[in-house]
Amino acid sequence: MSLVVLVTLPPERAHDLARTLVDEHLAGCVNILPGVQSVYRWQGDVAEDPESMLLIKTSGEKYPELEARIKSLHPYEVPEIIALQYDRALPEFQSWLREALDSTK
């Protein structure tokens, strides 16, 4: 099973988290989308913050470790971590992703 995981966080923290996840073979690739403006309810109030969105490509097998690592490094009390399963992708991309996630290589 392949996943795209969505994570929002402060822009100044995005690169370091993305790099860590790829370095540790928890993600094959992380796209950093800057310029996200989030409007949300927190502790009874409506809040707004500039954020970056990470699009993280990983596998279902790596997800539990990926989620735990994000939680350990994320500055928010309740980080947004949303995993979306996909069943179609370019076969060459899927092969590359499996290889990129293999920590023995």
XYZ file of all heavy atoms in Angstrom:
837
model
N 0.843 -1.167 0.000
C 0.000 0.000 0.000
C 0.895 1.239 0.000
O 1.848 1.325 0.769
C -0.906 -0.022 1.234
C -1.529 1.303 1.549
S -2.617 1.377 2.997
C -1.809 0.407 4.217
N 0.584 2.179 -0.859
C 1.334 3.433 -0.933
C 0.493 4.559 -0.365
O -0.731 4.557 -0.488
C 1.700 3.745 -2.376
O 2.551 2.743 -2.885
N 1.167 5.515 0.254
C 0.480 6.625 0.908
C 1.093 7.960 0.521
O 2.303 8.055 0.299
C 0.594 6.501 2.432
C 0.047 5.255 3.105
C 0.422 5.263 4.589
C -1.457 5.174 2.942
N 0.242 8.970 0.488
C 0.673 10.360 0.505
C 0.201 10.894 1.846
O -0.984 10.786 2.189
C 0.060 11.183 -0.647
C 0.386 12.661 -0.485
C 0.543 10.677 -1.985
N 1.120 11.427 2.628
C 0.797 11.930 3.958
C 0.906 13.449 3.932
O 1.908 14.002 3.480
C 1.741 11.324 5.023
C 1.388 11.842 6.414
C 1.684 9.800 4.977
N -0.143 14.108 4.400
C -0.197 15.564 4.456
C 0.130 16.024 5.869
O -0.454 15.519 6.834
C -1.588 16.064 4.078
C -2.210 15.519 2.792
C -3.621 16.072 2.628
C -1.353 15.849 1.601
N 1.042 16.973 5.973
C 1.427 17.527 7.269
C 1.607 19.032 7.095
O 2.290 19.467 6.164
C 2.752 16.904 7.781
C 3.214 17.581 9.066
C 2.598 15.409 7.989
N 0.997 19.813 7.988
C 1.236 21.251 7.996
C 2.097 21.596 9.210
O 2.020 20.940 10.248
C -0.074 22.060 8.062
O -0.846 21.625 9.183
C -0.881 21.906 6.791
N 2.908 22.639 9.044
C 3.775 23.078 10.131
C 4.310 24.469 9.812
O 4.168 24.946 8.676
C 4.909 22.091 10.363
C 6.029 21.979 9.348
C 7.179 21.178 9.947
C 5.572 21.325 8.079
N 4.927 25.134 10.792
C 5.490 26.457 10.532
C 6.525 26.390 9.406
O 7.314 25.435 9.344
C 6.146 26.833 11.865
C 5.428 26.020 12.887
C 5.094 24.729 12.198
N 6.513 27.373 8.522
C 7.424 27.349 7.364
C 8.892 27.143 7.732
O 9.617 26.441 7.017
C 7.214 28.714 6.708
C 5.840 29.126 7.132
C 5.650 28.563 8.512
N 9.329 27.719 8.830
C 10.740 27.619 9.204
C 11.133 26.216 9.669
O 12.316 25.918 9.811
C 11.105 28.662 10.274
C 10.412 28.475 11.608
C 9.032 29.098 11.705
O 8.482 29.575 10.684
O 8.488 29.100 12.824
N 10.165 25.338 9.897
C 10.452 23.966 10.353
C 10.318 22.937 9.228
O 10.681 21.770 9.401
C 9.496 23.584 11.484
C 9.525 24.490 12.707
C 10.758 24.324 13.564
N 10.872 23.015 14.163
C 10.386 22.688 15.357
N 9.748 23.577 16.082
N 10.548 21.468 15.817
N 9.787 23.348 8.082
C 9.435 22.405 7.015
C 10.649 21.680 6.437
O 10.635 20.453 6.290
C 8.674 23.125 5.908
N 11.688 22.394 6.086
C 12.839 21.779 5.430
C 13.514 20.749 6.330
O 13.853 19.647 5.885
C 13.850 22.831 4.970
C 15.010 22.228 4.255
N 16.175 21.894 4.903
C 15.171 21.857 2.960
C 17.018 21.354 4.039
N 16.437 21.322 2.848
N 13.723 21.091 7.585
C 14.408 20.168 8.500
C 13.616 18.877 8.683
O 14.198 17.789 8.681
C 14.655 20.823 9.856
C 15.738 21.885 9.805
O 16.505 21.923 8.816
O 15.817 22.685 10.753
N 12.296 18.983 8.833
C 11.486 17.779 8.988
C 11.521 16.945 7.713
O 11.710 15.721 7.759
C 10.048 18.123 9.366
C 9.119 16.920 9.564
C 9.655 15.955 10.615
C 7.719 17.381 9.921
N 11.366 17.585 6.568
C 11.398 16.866 5.292
C 12.720 16.131 5.125
O 12.750 14.943 4.759
C 11.178 17.838 4.138
N 13.796 16.801 5.393
C 15.131 16.208 5.235
C 15.316 15.011 6.174
O 15.835 13.968 5.774
C 16.188 17.280 5.498
C 17.599 16.844 5.278
C 17.847 16.599 3.819
N 19.118 15.960 3.627
C 19.969 16.286 2.679
N 19.668 17.238 1.828
N 21.093 15.652 2.564
N 14.880 15.146 7.406
C 14.994 14.060 8.378
C 14.229 12.828 7.918
O 14.743 11.704 7.984
C 14.485 14.519 9.759
O 15.336 15.576 10.229
C 14.487 13.388 10.764
N 13.000 13.013 7.448
C 12.174 11.878 7.028
C 12.781 11.132 5.844
O 12.748 9.897 5.793
C 10.765 12.346 6.701
C 9.983 12.958 7.867
C 8.636 13.482 7.389
C 9.823 11.979 9.011
N 13.369 11.872 4.918
C 14.024 11.227 3.764
C 15.338 10.582 4.202
O 15.624 9.437 3.831
C 14.230 12.236 2.615
C 15.057 11.612 1.497
C 12.878 12.702 2.070
N 16.130 11.284 5.007
C 17.403 10.720 5.492
C 17.193 9.405 6.229
O 18.015 8.493 6.125
C 18.110 11.698 6.434
C 18.816 12.834 5.719
O 19.029 12.742 4.491
O 19.158 13.829 6.401
N 16.095 9.294 6.974
C 15.832 8.105 7.786
C 15.026 7.031 7.034
O 14.575 6.075 7.646
C 15.117 8.515 9.072
C 16.008 9.378 9.958
C 15.339 9.855 11.236
O 14.173 9.494 11.512
O 16.007 10.605 11.976
N 14.857 7.199 5.727
C 14.138 6.242 4.874
C 12.684 6.049 5.294
O 12.096 4.997 5.040
C 14.856 4.884 4.833
C 16.195 4.941 4.211
N 16.389 4.808 2.852
C 17.416 5.132 4.753
C 17.682 4.913 2.590
N 18.327 5.113 3.724
N 12.102 7.053 5.932
C 10.684 6.994 6.284
C 9.832 7.563 5.164
O 8.627 7.300 5.101
C 10.431 7.753 7.589
C 11.163 7.191 8.798
C 10.970 8.104 9.999
C 10.715 5.776 9.095
N 10.443 8.345 4.300
C 9.785 8.926 3.130
C 10.723 8.801 1.951
O 11.938 8.965 2.096
C 9.449 10.397 3.378
N 10.144 8.520 0.789
C 10.946 8.498 -0.427
C 11.157 9.890 -0.969
O 12.190 10.206 -1.536
N 10.167 10.725 -0.748
C 10.185 12.090 -1.266
C 9.249 12.931 -0.415
O 8.206 12.448 0.026
C 9.713 12.085 -2.720
S 9.497 13.720 -3.450
N 9.624 14.172 -0.194
C 8.751 15.128 0.493
C 8.740 16.408 -0.329
O 9.790 16.993 -0.581
C 9.230 15.434 1.928
C 8.301 16.444 2.586
C 9.335 14.167 2.763
N 7.548 16.814 -0.754
C 7.392 18.107 -1.416
C 6.993 19.125 -0.356
O 6.120 18.852 0.470
C 6.297 18.064 -2.484
C 6.565 17.015 -3.524
O 5.873 16.019 -3.578
N 7.567 17.217 -4.341
N 7.632 20.280 -0.392
C 7.316 21.359 0.542
C 6.544 22.418 -0.230
O 7.070 23.008 -1.177
C 8.592 21.971 1.145
C 9.402 20.888 1.873
C 8.238 23.126 2.079
C 10.780 21.334 2.301
N 5.297 22.623 0.163
C 4.452 23.638 -0.462
C 4.370 24.839 0.472
O 3.660 24.805 1.478
C 3.053 23.085 -0.735
C 2.989 21.789 -1.549
C 1.551 21.329 -1.694
C 3.630 21.980 -2.901
N 5.093 25.915 0.150
C 5.072 27.097 1.011
C 3.820 27.937 0.755
O 3.076 27.696 -0.200
C 6.331 27.856 0.582
C 6.489 27.496 -0.863
C 5.996 26.061 -0.985
N 3.608 28.890 1.607
C 2.561 29.872 1.371
C 1.159 29.419 1.702
O 0.191 30.000 1.223
N 1.012 28.391 2.532
C -0.320 27.933 2.947
C -0.798 28.847 4.071
O -0.033 29.159 4.993
C -0.261 26.464 3.430
C -1.578 26.025 4.030
C 0.157 25.552 2.295
N -2.018 29.289 3.990
C -2.621 30.078 5.067
C -3.710 29.217 5.691
O -4.687 28.881 5.029
C -3.212 31.388 4.532
C -3.768 32.299 5.595
C -2.703 32.898 6.507
O -1.524 32.972 6.159
N -3.099 33.309 7.684
N -3.537 28.841 6.943
C -4.495 27.964 7.608
C -5.415 28.757 8.521
O -4.966 29.627 9.272
C -3.760 26.904 8.425
O -3.034 26.049 7.572
N -6.692 28.448 8.435
C -7.715 29.012 9.318
C -8.335 27.824 10.028
O -8.816 26.888 9.387
C -8.791 29.780 8.520
C -9.852 30.351 9.455
C -8.160 30.876 7.673
N -8.320 27.834 11.351
C -8.755 26.665 12.108
C -9.271 27.077 13.490
O -9.022 28.183 13.959
C -7.601 25.664 12.249
C -6.367 26.255 12.897
C -6.135 26.089 14.253
C -5.455 26.997 12.151
C -5.018 26.647 14.861
C -4.340 27.553 12.743
C -4.110 27.371 14.099
O -3.007 27.928 14.692
N -9.979 26.159 14.102
C -10.474 26.390 15.453
C -9.522 25.706 16.424
O -9.192 24.533 16.273
C -11.881 25.826 15.615
C -12.499 26.145 16.978
C -13.982 25.884 17.013
N -14.719 26.721 16.095
C -15.052 28.007 16.300
N -14.681 28.606 17.411
N -15.729 28.678 15.407
N -9.057 26.451 17.429
C -8.165 25.904 18.436
C -8.535 26.471 19.797
O -8.564 27.679 19.965
C -6.712 26.219 18.097
C -5.740 25.655 19.078
C -4.963 26.342 19.964
C -5.456 24.268 19.305
N -4.215 25.486 20.709
C -4.504 24.196 20.334
C -5.927 23.082 18.746
C -3.994 22.997 20.807
C -5.423 21.889 19.217
C -4.468 21.849 20.233
N -8.830 25.596 20.725
C -9.168 25.951 22.101
C -10.281 26.997 22.151
O -10.226 27.965 22.906
C -7.925 26.411 22.855
C -6.883 25.309 22.945
C -5.621 25.722 23.651
O -5.306 26.910 23.764
N -4.869 24.742 24.113
N -11.296 26.784 21.309
C -12.481 27.627 21.320
C -12.395 28.899 20.498
O -13.392 29.617 20.367
N -11.263 29.199 19.935
C -11.095 30.416 19.137
C -10.767 30.053 17.691
O -10.251 28.969 17.415
C -9.950 31.277 19.689
C -10.265 31.843 21.066
O -11.421 32.232 21.300
O -9.340 31.864 21.901
N -11.033 30.995 16.800
C -10.621 30.841 15.408
C -9.232 31.467 15.278
O -9.021 32.610 15.676
C -11.623 31.501 14.442
C -11.114 31.420 13.014
C -12.986 30.830 14.560
N -8.308 30.696 14.749
C -6.927 31.141 14.601
C -6.530 31.108 13.135
O -7.144 30.397 12.332
C -6.003 30.246 15.417
N -5.526 31.877 12.783
C -4.966 31.893 11.431
C -3.451 31.928 11.538
O -2.904 32.670 12.351
C -5.437 33.123 10.652
C -6.902 33.131 10.367
C -7.293 34.230 9.383
O -6.540 34.456 8.417
O -8.337 34.843 9.610
N -2.809 31.120 10.704
C -1.349 31.082 10.717
C -0.811 30.757 9.332
O -1.407 29.957 8.610
C -0.841 29.999 11.677
C -0.975 30.404 13.127
O -0.357 31.419 13.506
O -1.702 29.717 13.868
N 0.339 31.349 8.980
C 1.024 30.915 7.761
C 1.697 29.579 8.057
O 2.259 29.372 9.132
C 2.059 32.019 7.524
C 2.318 32.588 8.879
C 1.036 32.435 9.653
N 1.610 28.670 7.100
C 2.206 27.349 7.273
C 2.780 26.879 5.944
O 2.546 27.482 4.900
C 1.161 26.328 7.750
C 0.610 26.612 9.135
C -0.327 25.536 9.614
O -1.352 25.277 8.937
O -0.044 24.961 10.676
N 3.510 25.793 6.013
C 3.906 25.036 4.831
C 3.206 23.695 4.908
O 2.953 23.176 5.994
C 5.420 24.820 4.782
O 6.087 26.030 4.487
N 2.909 23.134 3.742
C 2.302 21.809 3.650
C 3.354 20.850 3.129
O 4.015 21.138 2.120
C 1.111 21.831 2.696
C 0.544 20.475 2.339
S -0.428 19.711 3.629
C -1.875 20.751 3.597
N 3.526 19.739 3.807
C 4.403 18.685 3.316
C 3.554 17.610 2.660
O 2.549 17.180 3.225
C 5.198 18.058 4.463
C 6.080 18.980 5.301
C 6.867 18.157 6.316
C 7.002 19.804 4.442
N 3.954 17.186 1.463
C 3.362 16.042 0.773
C 4.414 14.945 0.841
O 5.444 15.009 0.163
C 3.042 16.362 -0.686
C 2.073 17.500 -0.956
C 1.887 17.674 -2.461
C 0.745 17.247 -0.290
N 4.158 13.964 1.677
C 5.134 12.933 1.991
C 4.735 11.628 1.305
O 3.620 11.144 1.499
C 5.208 12.718 3.514
C 5.549 14.041 4.218
C 6.207 11.618 3.861
C 5.274 14.036 5.711
N 5.623 11.067 0.501
C 5.359 9.785 -0.154
C 6.028 8.676 0.642
O 7.241 8.730 0.889
C 5.876 9.781 -1.602
C 4.880 10.345 -2.601
C 4.646 11.801 -2.435
C 5.669 12.600 -3.193
N 5.611 14.030 -3.041
N 5.207 7.691 1.053
C 5.712 6.597 1.861
C 4.887 5.347 1.604
O 4.045 5.324 0.700
C 5.726 6.981 3.362
O 6.484 6.023 4.093
C 4.328 7.105 3.926
N 5.113 4.324 2.421
C 4.357 3.076 2.309
C 3.551 2.838 3.582
O 3.850 3.413 4.638
C 5.314 1.901 2.098
O 6.115 1.709 3.254
N 2.574 1.972 3.467
C 1.790 1.611 4.638
C 2.651 0.957 5.708
O 2.412 1.148 6.907
N 3.655 0.218 5.290
C 4.546 -0.434 6.244
C 5.364 0.576 7.047
O 5.649 0.368 8.220
C 5.505 -1.396 5.515
C 4.811 -2.568 4.838
C 4.168 -2.194 3.496
O 4.625 -1.250 2.815
O 3.174 -2.852 3.142
N 5.753 1.661 6.409
C 6.568 2.680 7.085
C 5.730 3.671 7.890
O 6.267 4.411 8.713
C 7.390 3.471 6.050
C 8.461 2.673 5.375
C 9.666 2.530 6.256
C 10.811 1.846 5.505
N 12.045 1.888 6.254
N 4.414 3.692 7.649
C 3.578 4.734 8.248
C 3.660 4.815 9.776
O 3.812 5.926 10.310
C 2.113 4.623 7.813
C 1.298 5.717 8.439
C 1.335 7.011 7.932
C 0.565 5.488 9.597
C 0.647 8.039 8.535
C -0.133 6.514 10.211
C -0.092 7.784 9.679
O -0.763 8.808 10.297
N 3.552 3.727 10.534
C 3.593 3.881 11.995
C 4.871 4.570 12.489
O 4.822 5.451 13.353
C 3.496 2.442 12.511
C 2.778 1.710 11.424
C 3.285 2.333 10.149
N 6.001 4.193 11.914
C 7.271 4.812 12.310
C 7.335 6.272 11.842
O 7.827 7.143 12.562
C 8.429 4.000 11.730
C 9.774 4.397 12.264
C 10.913 3.550 11.712
O 10.657 2.545 11.022
O 12.065 3.919 11.968
N 6.827 6.531 10.637
C 6.775 7.897 10.115
C 5.924 8.782 11.022
O 6.341 9.875 11.415
C 6.197 7.894 8.702
C 5.938 9.275 8.096
C 7.196 9.829 7.465
C 4.825 9.209 7.074
N 4.744 8.306 11.382
C 3.850 9.096 12.242
C 4.512 9.398 13.592
O 4.481 10.533 14.070
C 2.541 8.357 12.458
C 1.570 9.123 13.336
C 0.326 8.328 13.641
O 0.331 7.579 14.645
O -0.655 8.436 12.874
N 5.121 8.390 14.181
C 5.781 8.589 15.472
C 6.921 9.601 15.365
O 7.102 10.448 16.250
C 6.303 7.257 16.001
N 7.680 9.532 14.274
C 8.807 10.458 14.093
C 8.305 11.885 13.896
O 8.864 12.832 14.465
C 9.657 10.017 12.902
C 10.959 10.755 12.801
C 11.853 10.416 13.975
N 13.192 10.913 13.746
C 13.862 11.643 14.630
N 13.349 11.936 15.807
N 15.081 12.062 14.340
N 7.258 12.051 13.091
C 6.685 13.386 12.900
C 6.217 13.944 14.237
O 6.519 15.086 14.589
C 5.533 13.365 11.871
C 6.071 13.037 10.475
C 4.791 14.703 11.867
C 4.980 12.723 9.457
N 5.480 13.147 14.993
C 4.984 13.605 16.299
C 6.127 14.006 17.225
O 6.019 14.979 17.966
C 4.120 12.529 16.949
C 2.750 12.402 16.324
C 1.947 11.256 16.895
C 1.587 11.476 18.340
N 0.752 10.399 18.891
N 7.235 13.276 17.181
C 8.356 13.585 18.074
C 9.074 14.880 17.700
O 9.685 15.517 18.559
C 9.354 12.423 18.100
O 10.139 12.389 16.925
N 9.013 15.264 16.439
C 9.729 16.450 15.963
C 8.832 17.666 15.732
O 9.331 18.781 15.591
C 10.450 16.117 14.648
C 11.544 15.064 14.738
C 12.035 14.695 13.340
C 12.689 15.536 15.610
N 7.535 17.453 15.670
C 6.590 18.518 15.299
C 6.371 19.471 16.469
O 6.241 19.027 17.605
C 5.266 17.889 14.864
C 4.460 18.762 13.980
N 3.811 19.885 14.436
C 4.191 18.683 12.659
C 3.182 20.460 13.431
N 3.400 19.750 12.336
N 6.314 20.776 16.198
C 6.151 21.733 17.296
C 4.720 21.858 17.836
O 4.538 22.446 18.901
C 6.604 23.057 16.668
C 6.283 22.906 15.216
C 6.534 21.446 14.911
N 3.731 21.332 17.140
C 2.348 21.502 17.580
C 1.940 20.424 18.577
O 2.371 19.276 18.475
C 1.369 21.447 16.397
C 1.517 22.532 15.365
C 0.870 22.407 14.143
C 2.286 23.666 15.578
C 0.982 23.388 13.171
C 2.405 24.643 14.617
C 1.749 24.505 13.414
O 1.864 25.466 12.448
N 1.053 20.795 19.476
C 0.484 19.845 20.434
C -0.299 18.745 19.717
O -0.234 17.574 20.085
C -0.432 20.600 21.403
C -1.022 19.762 22.495
C -1.888 20.586 23.428
O -1.663 21.804 23.570
O -2.811 19.995 24.004
N -1.064 19.143 18.692
C -1.840 18.196 17.884
C -1.498 18.459 16.416
O -2.150 19.264 15.751
C -3.365 18.354 18.117
C -4.138 17.339 17.278
C -3.709 18.217 19.592
N -0.475 17.797 15.895
C -0.110 18.044 14.496
C -1.124 17.435 13.525
O -1.738 16.411 13.815
C 1.246 17.356 14.354
C 1.299 16.346 15.445
C 0.430 16.860 16.557
N -1.274 18.097 12.400
C -2.102 17.554 11.319
C -1.267 16.511 10.577
O -0.257 16.840 9.954
C -2.504 18.671 10.356
C -3.280 18.183 9.155
C -3.614 19.305 8.188
O -3.867 20.438 8.632
O -3.596 19.041 6.982
N -1.691 15.269 10.689
C -1.042 14.169 9.965
C -2.169 13.365 9.337
O -2.917 12.686 10.046
C -0.202 13.274 10.899
C 0.828 14.093 11.681
C 0.478 12.162 10.099
C 1.562 13.307 12.757
N -2.307 13.475 8.023
C -3.399 12.812 7.304
C -2.792 11.925 6.228
O -2.083 12.412 5.343
C -4.345 13.846 6.663
C -4.957 14.753 7.730
C -5.428 13.144 5.845
C -5.731 15.934 7.164
N -3.072 10.637 6.308
C -2.538 9.684 5.329
C -3.622 9.325 4.326
O -4.719 8.927 4.705
C -2.041 8.430 6.039
N -3.295 9.476 3.052
C -4.205 9.154 1.961
C -3.628 7.996 1.160
O -2.508 8.085 0.641
C -4.394 10.365 1.044
C -4.847 11.660 1.731
C -4.813 12.819 0.750
C -6.218 11.491 2.330
N -4.371 6.930 1.078
C -3.929 5.763 0.310
C -4.246 5.983 -1.163
O -5.295 6.526 -1.505
C -4.653 4.513 0.809
C -4.218 3.250 0.132
C -4.927 2.026 0.707
O -5.508 2.074 1.761
N -4.862 0.939 -0.028
N -3.332 5.570 -2.020
C -3.615 5.606 -3.452
C -3.329 4.243 -4.050
O -2.483 3.506 -3.573
C -2.852 6.726 -4.166
C -1.353 6.628 -4.114
C -0.641 5.973 -5.110
C -0.634 7.229 -3.097
C 0.736 5.897 -5.081
C 0.746 7.151 -3.057
C 1.419 6.497 -4.051
O 2.791 6.425 -4.017
N -4.079 3.921 -5.092
C -3.923 2.599 -5.685
C -3.412 2.643 -7.118
O -3.220 1.604 -7.731
C -5.231 1.801 -5.607
C -6.379 2.467 -6.330
O -6.198 3.572 -6.868
O -7.469 1.876 -6.361
N -3.192 3.826 -7.642
C -2.654 3.947 -8.994
C -1.535 4.973 -9.014
O -1.679 6.073 -8.508
C -3.740 4.374 -9.974
C -4.824 3.348 -10.135
C -5.854 3.824 -11.134
N -7.029 3.002 -11.036
C -7.330 2.044 -11.889
N -6.558 1.810 -12.917
N -8.420 1.337 -11.727
N -0.450 4.550 -9.636
C 0.690 5.440 -9.833
C 1.544 4.818 -10.930
O 1.435 3.623 -11.218
C 1.496 5.594 -8.552
N 2.379 5.622 -11.514
C 3.304 5.143 -12.530
C 4.121 3.985 -11.945
O 4.720 4.139 -10.865
C 4.234 6.281 -12.954
C 5.227 5.969 -14.054
C 4.492 5.802 -15.392
C 6.262 7.070 -14.145
N 4.129 2.829 -12.577
C 4.859 1.679 -12.013
C 6.329 1.982 -11.714
O 6.863 1.529 -10.700
C 4.717 0.602 -13.091
C 3.442 0.947 -13.792
C 3.391 2.453 -13.791
N 6.971 2.762 -12.562
C 8.374 3.114 -12.326
C 8.521 3.949 -11.053
O 9.515 3.826 -10.329
C 8.953 3.871 -13.524
C 9.048 3.025 -14.780
C 7.783 3.034 -15.640
O 6.714 3.521 -15.196
O 7.855 2.528 -16.775
N 7.526 4.820 -10.806
C 7.553 5.610 -9.575
C 7.394 4.699 -8.360
O 8.103 4.846 -7.360
C 6.453 6.679 -9.572
C 6.381 7.432 -8.271
C 7.263 8.467 -8.009
C 5.454 7.084 -7.299
C 7.222 9.147 -6.791
C 5.402 7.756 -6.091
C 6.289 8.790 -5.842
N 6.488 3.749 -8.443
C 6.266 2.825 -7.333
C 7.536 2.018 -7.039
O 7.879 1.817 -5.874
C 5.098 1.887 -7.636
C 3.742 2.575 -7.601
C 3.393 3.057 -6.214
O 3.791 4.141 -5.798
N 2.664 2.257 -5.487
N 8.217 1.581 -8.087
C 9.471 0.846 -7.896
C 10.522 1.730 -7.237
O 11.243 1.302 -6.323
C 10.005 0.340 -9.241
O 9.141 -0.627 -9.769
N 10.624 2.962 -7.728
C 11.578 3.901 -7.138
C 11.255 4.139 -5.665
O 12.165 4.164 -4.814
C 11.559 5.227 -7.911
C 12.300 6.284 -7.164
C 13.647 6.502 -7.173
C 11.731 7.216 -6.258
N 13.952 7.528 -6.307
C 12.795 7.985 -5.741
C 10.442 7.488 -5.818
C 12.606 9.003 -4.814
C 10.243 8.499 -4.898
C 11.313 9.247 -4.408
N 9.988 4.320 -5.329
C 9.597 4.583 -3.948
C 9.978 3.410 -3.038
O 10.545 3.614 -1.970
C 8.088 4.878 -3.856
C 7.547 5.177 -2.459
C 8.254 6.387 -1.847
C 6.045 5.396 -2.516
N 9.701 2.200 -3.485
C 10.073 1.023 -2.685
C 11.585 1.000 -2.430
O 12.042 0.744 -1.309
C 9.640 -0.264 -3.382
C 8.177 -0.586 -3.189
C 7.814 -1.981 -3.674
N 8.043 -2.162 -5.111
C 7.167 -1.806 -6.046
N 6.014 -1.244 -5.730
N 7.447 -2.001 -7.322
N 12.362 1.300 -3.455
C 13.815 1.319 -3.305
C 14.270 2.442 -2.367
O 15.156 2.253 -1.539
C 14.474 1.466 -4.673
C 15.979 1.349 -4.612
C 16.612 1.369 -5.995
O 16.128 0.631 -6.877
O 17.573 2.125 -6.173
N 13.659 3.609 -2.505
C 14.029 4.763 -1.665
C 13.717 4.514 -0.197
O 14.408 5.054 0.691
C 13.314 6.016 -2.157
N 12.715 3.721 0.086
C 12.336 3.434 1.473
C 13.141 2.286 2.079
O 13.071 2.049 3.279
C 10.831 3.101 1.538
C 9.894 4.247 1.206
C 8.465 3.749 1.109
C 10.019 5.381 2.217
N 13.908 1.594 1.259
C 14.686 0.458 1.724
C 15.948 0.959 2.441
O 16.873 1.465 1.800
C 15.063 -0.432 0.535
C 15.774 -1.703 0.948
O 16.174 -1.825 2.124
O 15.937 -2.571 0.080
N 15.992 0.825 3.733
C 17.109 1.357 4.511
C 18.366 0.493 4.410
O 19.415 0.881 4.944
C 16.701 1.521 5.973
O 16.298 0.275 6.506
N 18.288 -0.636 3.719
C 19.490 -1.464 3.555
C 20.314 -1.026 2.353
O 21.389 -1.567 2.124
C 19.112 -2.954 3.386
O 18.374 -3.132 2.180
C 18.320 -3.448 4.585
N 19.802 -0.080 1.577
C 20.533 0.374 0.376
C 21.177 1.716 0.590
O 20.786 2.511 1.347
C 19.577 0.434 -0.818
C 19.095 -0.934 -1.186
C 18.286 -0.901 -2.435
C 17.836 -2.321 -2.731
N 17.358 -2.501 -4.040
